[in-house]
Amino acid sequence: MKVLITGGAGFIGSALAAALVARGDEVTVLDNLSPQIHGEDPSNSALVRRLPSEVRLVVGDVRNREHWLQVLPGQDLVVHLAAETGTGQSMYEIDRYVDVNVRGTSLFLDLIGNKVEGCDSVRRVVVASSRSIYGEGKYQAEGMSVYPSARSGADLEAGVFECRDPETGQFVAPLPTDEDSKIHPSSIYGVTKQVQEQLVLIGAAAIGVQGIALRYQNVYGPGQSLKNPYTGILSIFSTLLLQGKDVNIFEDGRETRDFVFIDDVVSATISAMDSDVTGQAFNIGTGEATDVMTVATELKKAYGATGALRVSGNYRIGDIRHNFADLGRAKAAIGYSPKVSFSQGVREFASWVQTQQIEDSGYQRSVEEMRAKGLLK
C-alpha cells in the first residue's frame, strides 16, 4: 500500500513507519518536526534518524493546505497521528491545541472529500484517538456503573483523591472502560481528541471513505521523546532520575493508568489498517491498571538512581484519577491482543534510555508554567 503517516516522525509514527517499510509498504511522512519533541536541531533527533531511508519525509504542517497537497495525491491510506499532545499544556495553550487537532483534521477531510487536485485515492483513514476522551473512566457503585465528573476542589485540597459517585457522594471503584462508556473529557486535549475522532468517523463515512479510530492508552517504550516535558511520565521520570534529581509524585502516587508498549500499539495500528472494519472506535491498551508510584519505583530500580521519590500531594487541574481499557471489542473486531507486560516493557524502555544522551527536558519550566496559571496546586 501507499501509506501517509501524519506526525510520522513522532514516537508512534516513526515506529509504525519502520514496521510498514519492513513489510513492503510505500510510506510518506508529514511532520512539522516540533522542537518540543525533537529539540532545536531536528537533524539530531533520534526519532527522525530512526525513520528508514525508504520513507519520504515532508516537513510540513497539517494546518497548511499546500503541505497536504504535497503528500495526499496517490495515497491509499492515511494514518492520522499528527496532534498536539499533553493534558496540562492544553489547558492554557487552548487555541493551538484546537487549531492543530481539529482544524488540521477538518482541512484534510475537506481535501479528500472534495477530491481537490488529485486527493481522491484515499480509501481508508485510521485516526489516533485517546483514552482522554473518557475523562474519568467507568466506575462501580453498589453494583451499578457510574461516570464521575471532575473531582471537587475541596476534596483535592484536602488530599482526598479518589472519585465519588456524582449522585450519592460515596467513593467508587474503577472498572475497565469500554467503548460504550460515557464520553466526557476533562481537559482541552481530551475535547480536541473527541472532536478529531468524530470528524473522521462521521466525515469519512459521508465522503465514502472507510474510517476507524484507535483510542490509545498511555503509550511508552524505546523511541519516546526524552525532550518533551509535557507528556510521557516514563520519559519525564527517567530524565530526572538519570540527572540525580528527585521525582515529585503528584497526588498520593496511587493514581493509575493503562501503560501500553509501543510494539503492541504498532501491531494494533497495522491490524486496524488491514481490517475491513469501518465507522468504529477501539481501545488500545493492556487492560491493566498500574499506579504512578509503581512506575517511578521500577524506573529508579532499573537505573540504580539515588534521587528520592517524593509524594507531594500536588495535583493538576484536568488530571483524572483512574482509567484502564476494556479490550473485548478490539480483540473481537481487529484481533488485537497485547503481548508485552509492563514489567517487561519497562525493562526494555529503561535499557534503551541508558543508550541516549540525557539533557534537561525543561520539566521544571513546565511545572512553573502550570503553577503560574493556577493549573498546578
Side-chain angles (χ1 to χ4, degrees), residues 160-208:
V160 177
F161 299 115
E162 293 298 336
C163 293
R164 297 179 185 269
D165 184 332
E167 298 294 329
T168 68
Q170 298 300 308
F171 290 113
V172 291
L175 293 171
T177 302
D178 57 62
E179 292 87 348
D180 293 326
S181 295
K182 182 178 180 180
I183 303 298
H184 61 146
S186 59
S187 66
I188 299 298
Y189 171 66
V191 171
T192 67
K193 296 306 286 185
Q194 177 189 0
V195 175
Q196 195 177 43
E197 174 184 309
Q198 291 176 327
L199 280 169
V200 168
L201 295 184
I202 295 171
I207 61 179

